[in-house]
Amino acid sequence: IPSGSLPYVTAPVDITDATPQGSNDPDVCSADGVDRTVWFRFTPTISGPYTFSTCAGNDATGSNVYDTVIGVFNACSGGNALACNDTAAACVAAVPGAPYVDQSTATANLAAGNTYYIATGHWSGDAGGVGPGLNQVSVKVELLSLPANDTCSSPTPLTLDHIVFGTTVNAANDYRSPLACFTGVGQIPSSASG
């Protein structure tokens, strides 16, 4: 998967002859019965939260395998699963000829310059399996927006006696603030982790 202009959608891949169940591929999301897995490699140029989706309703154009599983790993051999999904609640799609649609979306915080591996496959416990017209998978990748106040250099001002609403959705998992943030009275920097 190229790391340039995002969002990006891979060309549809026919998984009819992909890795069968029972091979030496790692489980994707520990979902019992994943078969016909295909792998993609992605090296982001920007650190942040990335979403990977096989959902045709999320613009993964060409995905017609109606029951998928997707996982993001830090190594090709499976490594640590950074994110995985078997059922994306927000995935609303119509796949002609499918008895139902249960496509997948996973989001992970990725570091620029590191290579990650995305595995997707068919959940073999479904009613109909992979067949003509229901055998292609595409993966859409996009970088999610970070909150405006995600770093110490752009804090949101707080005023006493006023309610301020906000969220940490899509915020980077970088809880260690630089020492420059600790400048007030009683603020003592610590080098402790966590």
Side-chain angles (χ1 to χ4, degrees):
I1 300 174
S3 59
S5 180
L6 296 175
Y8 178 83
V9 179
T10 66
V13 176
D14 183 342
I15 66 168
T16 303
D17 296 320
T19 309
Q21 185 174 356
S23 71
N24 61 357
D25 263 4
D27 282 338
V28 178
C29 300
S30 299
D32 188 35
V34 177
D35 65 5
R36 305 188 194 285
T37 55
V38 291
W39 288 76
F40 299 88
R41 182 178 59 231
F42 178 66
T43 305
T45 57
I46 299 171
S47 295
Y50 286 83
T51 294
F52 300 88
S53 180
T54 62
C55 179
N58 248 3
D59 299 324
T61 311
S63 267
N64 62 16
V65 174
Y66 57 91
D67 199 335
T68 61
V69 178
I70 193 166
V72 181
F73 297 90
N74 65 355
C76 188
S77 61
N80 292 327
L82 305 175
C84 64
N85 181 261
D86 181 22
T87 303
C91 180
V92 179
V95 175
Y100 63 93
V101 177
D102 193 7
Q103 295 173 321
S104 305
T105 299
T107 300
N109 282 316
L110 306 181
N114 291 344
T115 298
Y116 299 93
Y117 299 87
I118 295 81
T120 187
H122 162 257
W123 182 68
S124 63
D126 72 21
V130 173
L134 302 171
N135 60 344
Q136 306 252 347
V137 68
S138 296
V139 175
K140 177 185 177 185
V141 58
E142 66 182 316
L143 174 62
L144 301 177
S145 300
L146 296 173
N149 63 340
D150 191 48
T151 65
C152 177
S153 63
S154 58
T156 299
L158 295 175
T159 305
L160 291 178
D161 300 323
H162 286 78
I163 297 172
V164 177
F165 294 97
T167 180
T168 58
V169 172
N170 297 338
N173 187 13
D174 58 353
Y175 58 90
R176 296 190 69 157
S177 299
L179 293 179
C181 284
F182 296 99
T183 59
V185 175
Q187 300 293 328
I188 302 169
S190 171
S191 61
S193 62

